[in-house]
Amino acid sequence: MKILKYILVFAAIWLPAESIFSHPEENPEENLTAATAAPDTIVVLNKADFLAKVYNYEKHPQEWVYEGKLPCIIDFYADWCGPCRKVAPVLKALAAEYKGKLIIYKIDVDREKELARLFGVSSIPMYLFIPEKDKPQTSVGAMPRESFEKVIKEFLLKDSE
């Protein structure tokens, strides 16, 4: 009976800890990079991808030069952030709905500290909305789907409709 008790205690401690400390690289869907993702999925950016696909601040430190071909949303997030996890399905649905019209990226602020500092990320989730030809705008805090759709239609895609 004591052995069963120890097994149950161990399982009660180990299973929740395993889910808390799991990393996105263990989930292949969460570890899509700019090179491996389909156009209707959310892409996790590292610094090299960011420089190539969004903004090369090393090459253009004094001016904003968007490197992308479609407007984009960048979600600055962390795995431990509850509001970030809550908004993730909304962003995934928007990526599918606006496939071919805009791209949704994610940047893990714990892994990409330089990018987080570059944009002054002090609270997450934070979103960077980047149109093709205008300056980017930011928003801090979880947003409902309706707010994302408004920004997409009125700011990101306003010139394409």
Side-chain angles (χ1 to χ4, degrees):
M1 192 65 173
K2 281 187 173 183
I3 293 175
L4 181 59
K5 190 182 211 181
Y6 287 123
I7 291 172
L8 290 174
V9 169
F10 176 76
I13 293 170
W14 181 76
L15 289 174
E18 177 66 20
S19 66
I20 291 170
F21 296 112
S22 66
H23 297 286
E25 64 265 17
E26 295 169 2
N27 182 350
E29 185 175 314
E30 285 291 318
N31 197 29
L32 295 172
T33 65
T36 60
D40 62 336
T41 57
I42 295 175
V43 178
V44 178
L45 292 177
N46 59 28
K47 180 183 174 184
D49 289 333
F50 182 85
L51 292 172
K53 300 204 175 284
V54 180
Y55 169 48
N56 189 332
Y57 54 90
E58 293 173 344
K59 185 177 175 183
H60 305 284
Q62 301 301 322
E63 65 178 317
W64 174 261
V65 178
Y66 181 48
E67 304 289 342
K69 300 198 183 331
L70 293 173
C72 73
I73 299 172
I74 299 178
D75 172 18
F76 289 92
Y77 79 103
D79 292 334
W80 49 263
C81 170
C84 300
R85 289 193 310 262
K86 189 172 184 175
V87 174
V90 171
L91 292 173
K92 189 171 184 173
L94 290 170
E97 182 178 335
Y98 289 96
K99 175 183 179 178
K101 295 181 182 177
L102 73 94
I103 301 170
I104 299 180
Y105 295 117
K106 293 177 79 157
I107 295 176
D108 184 334
V109 297
D110 290 331
R111 291 188 178 161
E112 299 297 334
K113 293 179 185 340
E114 181 178 338
L115 295 175
R117 274 192 308 274
L118 178 70
F119 289 97
V121 178
S122 60
S123 181
I124 54 173
M126 185 183 108
Y127 306 100
L128 185 63
F129 299 100
I130 305 173
E132 281 182 84
K133 297 176 180 134
D134 205 353
K135 300 281 186 211
Q137 294 184 2
T138 60
S139 177
V140 177
M143 295 171 46
R145 181 183 176 105
E146 297 78 25
S147 296
F148 280 109
E149 287 177 341
K150 183 176 181 177
V151 172
I152 290 168
K153 290 175 183 166
E154 295 178 9
F155 180 64
L156 295 177
L157 299 179
K158 70 178 178 182
D159 295 331
S160 63
E161 295 188 1

